[in-house]
């Protein structure tokens, strides 16, 4: 793993509770750990001027949605993102979807789900139950955006975000 990535990820707290949405009180504990980890990750990103997403969830913490963004050639590219926690979470990682990019890159599955099978999912499997939503963003979505957005821009299939 790249030393800069490793240093960044080391600032994201590891989770302790091995519980999914069907595990009652243990899930409540896991959800508290998820929120604490996300808060710390966001605070770190804001302090280092590298904040790149906004995320919220439903009350049960099973459906997550928000926006993510990246910059390429001084232009901002912003996307809606969404994911549901799998029934077997945390054994299985969430699949993040960027619906408006569906069909614009081969590194994506039906429904706009980004491809993380080769690089991220094996890493997740080795780190259950310690990885959580923050890790999905930092080690899955972030690297995907940094590779795929420039490729889509250079291929002419993606335009910068224009704010009205």
């Amino acid at each position: 793993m790249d030393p800069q990535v490793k240093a960044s990820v080391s600032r994201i707290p590891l989770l302790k509770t091995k519980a999914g949405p069907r595990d009652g009180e243990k899930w409540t504990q896991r959800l508290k750990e998820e929120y604490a980890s996300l808060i710390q990750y966001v605070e770190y990103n804001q302090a280092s001027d590298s904040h790149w997403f906004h995320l919220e969830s439903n009350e049960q913490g099973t459906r997550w949605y928000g926006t993510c963004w990246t910059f390429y050639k001084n232009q901002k590219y912003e996307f809606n993102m969404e994911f549901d926690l799998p029934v077997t979470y945390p054994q299985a990682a969430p699949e993040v979807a960027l619906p408006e990019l569906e069909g614009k890159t081969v590194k994506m599955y039906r429904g706009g789900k980004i491809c993380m099978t080769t690089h991220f999912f094996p890493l997740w499997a080795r780190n259950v139950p310690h990885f959580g939503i923050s890790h999905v963003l930092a080690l899955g979505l972030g690297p995907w955006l940094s590779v795929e957005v420039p490729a889509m821009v250079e291929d002419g299939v993606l335009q910068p975000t224009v704010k009205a």
Side-chain angles (χ1 to χ4, degrees), residues 10-81:
S10 71
R11 293 178 177 89
I12 302 172
L14 296 175
L15 288 74
K16 297 179 177 106
T17 305
K18 187 175 183 179
R22 299 184 293 180
D23 292 327
E25 287 303 314
K26 286 180 73 178
W27 171 243
T28 302
Q29 178 57 38
R30 170 74 183 209
L31 198 52
K32 288 178 186 176
E33 293 175 19
E34 293 280 4
Y35 280 119
S37 178
L38 280 164
I39 290 167
Q40 189 166 332
Y41 183 44
V42 167
E43 287 173 349
Y44 167 73
N45 285 342
Q46 289 174 335
S48 62
D49 198 28
S50 59
H51 186 57
W52 60 278
F53 67 89
H54 169 78
L55 189 64
E56 53 189 282
S57 75
N58 65 2
E59 191 174 319
Q60 298 80 23
T62 56
R63 177 137 180 82
W64 296 77
Y65 46 90
T67 56
C68 60
W69 56 89
T70 190
F71 289 86
Y72 178 65
K73 292 187 176 179
N74 294 320
Q75 298 288 321
K76 185 176 184 179
Y77 298 85
E78 186 170 343
F79 314 102
N80 291 321
M81 73 168 153

Side-chain angles (χ1 to χ4, degrees), residues 114-125:
I114 66 171
C115 177
M116 297 190 294
T117 54
T118 304
H119 302 288
F120 179 71
F121 288 163
L123 182 62
W124 178 277

